[in-house]
Amino acid sequence: SRASLVLSGPGIRAGVIADESAALVDISPTILAALGAPTTSGLGPDASYEDGLYLRWQDGRVLSEAFEDGACQRPKHVVLLLFDGLQATELNQQMMMPASMTNAPILHGIANRGVMYRYGAVSGFPSYSAPGHMTVGTGLWPGHHGVLSNSFFGRSEQGLITPFDLLDNLP
């Protein structure tokens, strides 16, 4: 399972279609690097102790190939668009078409001003919404962050609940 991945903005190379591999776990450390966050020590992608990580436990890598060499400009904010359930192949095709032929002109423009990963970003398998969202936000694979499905057993409720149920029932 793959998700489209486009990085665009200050400090990001422009007009590049990247053939490097990427994964959802790479998004969080890449955002932190782009923002200039401090690094720390912790468990790296191969579960060994490392310095220079952006998270205390980090399964992903920084997608450094997307950054401009020697760029001094950093973003002040990051906007993350996450399209749940959208086939990467279809969206990537739209973003690689000539501008006059695309059905997604805004996304096409963003992709052409940044780095688009030709093969998208690998997600966990099986690809469920809640684990994928958690992976993007934590930089950890589902087996490490603990959200393995769209539902889980609530002991006090004695039944299945979903993270989406929790959001729907906020005060």
Side-chain angles (χ1 to χ4, degrees):
S1 296
R2 294 178 183 269
S4 293
L5 179 59
V6 175
L7 304 173
S8 185
I12 301 295
R13 296 169 59 200
V16 174
I17 297 176
D19 288 327
E20 288 86 356
S21 64
L24 294 183
V25 292
D26 300 332
I27 295 172
S28 188
T30 301
I31 289 172
L32 291 169
L35 291 169
T39 59
T40 188
S41 299
L43 293 178
D46 63 355
S48 63
Y49 186 81
E50 291 184 30
D51 292 324
L53 300 174
Y54 287 93
L55 302 160
R56 299 284 311 231
W57 188 353
Q58 180 177 312
D59 288 335
R61 69 179 183 91
V62 173
L63 300 171
S64 56
E65 66 275 0
F67 295 149
E68 288 179 343
D69 290 333
C72 296
Q73 195 176 17
R74 291 196 182 277
K76 293 180 182 176
H77 307 283
V78 171
V79 175
L80 175 67
L81 303 176
L82 199 150
F83 296 103
D84 194 354
L86 184 61
Q87 288 282 340
T89 53
E90 177 60 29
L91 186 56
N92 285 3
Q93 180 183 0
Q94 288 287 320
M95 290 187 291
M96 288 190 283
M97 285 180 173
S100 62
M101 296 178 61
T102 185
N103 292 324
I106 302 299
L107 294 175
H108 181 273
I110 292 169
N112 280 280
R113 288 188 302 275
V115 175
M116 185 187 90
Y117 283 79
R118 182 186 309 272
Y119 307 110
V122 175
S123 63
F125 184 82
S127 178
Y128 293 123
S129 298
H133 297 177
M134 187 64 73
T135 295
V136 168
T138 63
L140 296 172
W141 288 115
H144 293 158
H145 61 58
V147 178
L148 304 175
S149 179
N150 284 339
S151 61
F152 51 92
F153 186 78
R155 288 185 181 130
S156 60
E157 294 81 7
Q158 287 298 296
L160 289 179
I161 57 175
T162 74
F164 307 108
D165 292 336
L166 298 174
L167 292 173
D168 290 342
N169 294 322
L170 290 175

